[in-house]
Amino acid sequence: MPDARSYITTTIPYVNARPHLGFALELVQADVLARRRRQAGDQVRFLTGTDDNSLKNVLAAEAEGIEVQALVDRNAAAFEGLREPLALSFDDFIRTSSDPRHRSGVERLWQRCAASGDLYRKHYEGLYCVGCEQFYTADDLVEGRCPEHGTEPRLVAEENWFFRLSRYTDVLLELISGNRLRIEPASRRNEVLALIAGGLHDFSVSRSQSRARGWGIPVPGDPDQVVYVWWDALGNYVTSLGYGTSDAAFDQWWTQGGKRIHLAGKGVLRFHAVYWPAMLLSAGLPVPTDILVHDYLTVDGRKISKSSGTTVDPAALVADVGTDAVRWWLLRDVPRVGDADFTVDRLVTRANSDLAGGLGNLVNRVVTMIHRYRDGRLPASGSTPVGAERLAQACADAPREIDAALDAFDFRRAATAVWTIVDEANRCIESTRPWEPAKIEKGGEHINGERLDGVLAALLHACLFLAEQLTPFLPGAAARITEQCTPVDGILAPATPLFPRIGS
């Protein structure tokens, strides 16, 4: 029997500015996976947090003329504050600058890798992008600029600690090609395999105290250096579990089995699928089981990011259009592969069409008919009535199709599977035309009353089943549907609008 434990994590973003919609996408995706697995009865731990120990944060604080800790505290609070507007269910939130679990865990990870002989010190000169916090070779650049940020990297020369990444080439190829470390989608898996096959080079894992402006975790035994921010940040996946302490959570969620699932954007794939597994192998720890990679959100074709200034504030967006509309666009319109261009008009069109016009209208019609034809009392149910067969089949098929889509990290396909029930329920109403047997029933023909009861019962059941399947995607809407379709003292409450049209 498979181990029904899932440890689900997002990347932790820099806090040089407030959160943007691109990171909200990853948060919502992780939340759907966590809620669906909890719904299935799995034990789930869902982690997110912030990457506080970055030079980008230092430079942002200097630009504002404030203390680094003050900037970090302010912006980290904005990230943690996304819980309510985005209806997130994370179990843990880690901040790398202030969480007492983190430093001891990073030091322990460093010491374990040092004991394996994988850390050494050497002089290095290279092209460094502050936006990525990463060294690049000239071949990595696009017309002399960072491929991620479009900026010219700085030439940096100093003596740093290095990690023997090259030692882990063969084992990484074996893990990924054998799917013991699963990377989805397949195109990203192939990208990583090609990167490894092309040859891995040792990478710098520390920075001088002077270049880091004294911000970060000192290297154990070498206080003139601080731990490289990516080494520091990647460690959060285990430090949050108490790695380096006696916390039993580390064994429960990392070493004793189950799923260890990382969600990450395509721009940080190298760090999560190559550097991080190698660090874990060096420390004698299990590697992740799954790395699920999403592409970018764009505005007018430009990546949404803090660095570029192309940004959309998710909290402000929710304040304007509501949580359901934002979550639904992120899940229903963003493809599994390829960037998605965001506009408010596209979001509003999707919400008004699907939520107000499709789902909201369906529930309103069903509850209104039960009030009109049965005084709000639950209709008697029996076998599937004629005309509702496709609806019954859609309900039967949906859970399997949703789970298969989520397992493949395809949220758009999963949302479409949920929506099949909505479409079939609306078709059922049009094909069975409950108002017609209701008219005949008034003439005293009891058989039509039974037919009407069967149709109404099938539709109400579909609405309740739909709410259950919708819960991981739109938890607030699902709860409202369940309340609307659940009788109190045998009678449904009168129909009320579930999704007012946006902009009306």
Side-chain angles (χ1 to χ4, degrees):
M1 182 175 180
D3 191 330
R5 277 180 291 180
S6 298
Y7 177 44
I8 299 170
T9 73
T10 71
T11 55
I12 54 172
Y14 300 132
V15 289
N16 55 311
R18 289 177 58 83
H20 60 66
L21 191 62
F23 184 59
L25 169 67
E26 187 170 305
L27 285 169
V28 170
Q29 289 177 336
D31 186 68
V32 171
L33 295 180
R35 288 180 183 274
R36 186 68 179 180
R37 289 175 182 266
R38 291 191 196 107
Q39 200 175 42
D42 288 8
Q43 296 180 62
V44 174
R45 186 182 178 105
F46 170 18
L47 169 73
T48 188
T50 54
D51 182 356
D52 299 354
N53 295 326
S54 166
L55 179 58
K56 292 176 71 170
N57 302 334
V58 176
L59 298 177
E62 289 179 354
E64 286 194 39
I66 62 175
E67 293 294 324
V68 181
Q69 192 67 58
L71 176 132
V72 165
D73 290 345
R74 181 194 70 200
N75 289 340
F79 280 90
E80 190 168 9
L82 291 176
R83 174 191 282 276
E84 184 175 348
L86 292 177
L88 303 173
S89 62
F90 54 81
D91 302 292
D92 194 4
F93 189 97
I94 188 167
R95 290 190 49 200
T96 59
S97 70
S98 58
D99 195 306
R101 297 172 294 181
H102 187 64
R103 178 168 175 169
S104 62
V106 169
E107 291 172 342
R108 176 62 172 158
L109 186 65
W110 183 281
Q111 291 160 351
R112 289 288 296 269
C113 293
S116 295
D118 287 331
L119 298 177
Y120 63 95
R121 190 165 175 164
K122 75 168 186 177
H123 180 80
Y124 183 76
E125 293 185 4
L127 299 169
Y128 191 74
C129 172
V130 175
C132 295
E133 295 275 20
Q134 177 182 351
F135 281 105
Y136 283 99
T137 67
D139 291 340
D140 292 328
L141 304 178
V142 178
E143 297 180 349
R145 294 179 176 273
C146 166
E148 186 73 13
H149 294 94
T151 55
E152 292 185 6
R154 303 175 182 177
L155 181 63
V156 172
E158 62 184 16
E159 184 165 294
N160 293 330
W161 287 91
F162 275 70
F163 176 73
R164 297 186 195 278
L165 181 65
S166 54
R167 175 180 285 183
Y168 295 94
T169 300
D170 292 341
V171 66
L172 287 173
L173 280 173
E174 181 182 347
L175 285 169
I176 296 168
S177 61
N179 227 30
R180 288 169 56 198
L181 171 50
R182 186 176 76 116
I183 301 172
E184 289 288 347
S187 58
R188 297 301 172 195
R189 173 178 178 269
N190 294 337
E191 178 184 333
V192 173
L193 288 172
L195 174 67
I196 298 171
L200 296 179
H201 303 285
D202 297 354
F203 69 99
S204 172
V205 293
S206 73
R207 302 291 182 263
S208 67
Q209 280 278 8
S210 59
R211 189 153 67 85
R213 310 288 210 279
W215 184 255
I217 298 174
V219 168
D222 190 354
D224 291 336
Q225 297 268 308
V226 299
V227 176
Y228 171 42
V229 66
W230 270 102
W231 178 289
D232 174 335
L234 288 165
N236 95 92
Y237 301 128
V238 294
T239 65
S240 62
L241 300 174
Y243 176 69
T245 73
S246 58
D247 193 334
F250 177 68
D251 286 335
Q252 179 184 359
W253 296 103
W254 198 267
T255 65
Q256 293 179 351
K259 293 282 190 179
R260 299 176 293 276
I261 303 169
H262 294 330
L263 276 71
K266 64 181 179 181
V268 296
L269 179 57
R270 177 196 302 245
F271 297 99
H272 285 80
V274 180
Y275 292 6
W276 175 232
M279 290 160 58
L280 291 166
L281 291 167
S282 176
L285 299 175
V287 299
T289 59
D290 301 80
I291 298 175
L292 309 179
V293 187
H294 62 82
D295 286 359
Y296 291 148
L297 295 187
T298 61
V299 172
D300 296 328
R302 296 177 62 203
K303 174 194 171 188
I304 293 178
S305 75
K306 300 187 294 293
S307 300
S308 70
T310 304
T311 187
V312 177
D313 185 329
L317 184 62
V318 166
D320 287 340
V321 301
T323 300
D324 294 326
V326 173
R327 281 182 68 112
W328 191 242
W329 186 84
L330 292 171
L331 297 167
R332 180 83 149 125
D333 278 30
V334 175
R336 180 172 183 254
V337 177
D339 296 342
D341 204 57
F342 169 81
T343 69
V344 173
D345 285 347
R346 289 188 180 119
L347 182 150
V348 169
T349 297
R350 174 61 73 184
N352 284 341
S353 173
D354 279 10
L355 302 183
L359 176 56
N361 186 51
L362 167 66
V363 175
N364 187 280
R365 292 175 81 185
V366 171
V367 174
T368 297
M369 285 190 294
I370 292 174
H371 271 274
R372 182 175 298 155
Y373 306 137
R374 291 294 180 263
D375 296 323
R377 297 186 179 279
L378 293 191
S381 61
S383 59
T384 302
V386 174
E389 297 88 352
R390 288 181 57 176
L391 174 58
Q393 191 61 52
C395 290
D397 293 343
R400 180 177 62 254
E401 293 174 3
I402 293 166
D403 288 338
L406 292 181
D407 186 63
F409 197 52
D410 192 339
F411 294 90
R412 186 158 72 174
R413 180 158 65 95
T416 299
V418 174
W419 220 248
T420 300
I421 302 173
V422 178
D423 288 339
E424 289 299 340
N426 279 316
R427 289 192 190 100
C428 178
I429 293 174
E430 297 308 315
S431 66
T432 59
R433 303 174 68 83
W435 48 90
E436 291 183 350
K439 288 180 182 178
I440 297 173
E441 184 183 33
K442 288 184 177 180
E445 295 186 36
H446 182 64
I447 188 170
N448 284 286
E450 293 177 353
R451 176 187 167 196
L452 179 59
D453 277 346
V455 170
L456 295 177
L459 290 168
L460 185 65
H461 168 76
C463 288
L464 286 167
F465 186 77
L466 178 61
E468 180 183 352
Q469 300 307 308
L470 193 65
T471 294
F473 302 85
L474 300 179
R480 296 196 304 274
I481 294 168
T482 299
E483 182 179 14
Q484 182 85 95
C485 296
T486 301
V488 176
D489 296 329
I491 299 178
L492 296 179
T496 57
L498 293 170
F499 305 97
R501 290 183 65 84
I502 301 171
S504 60

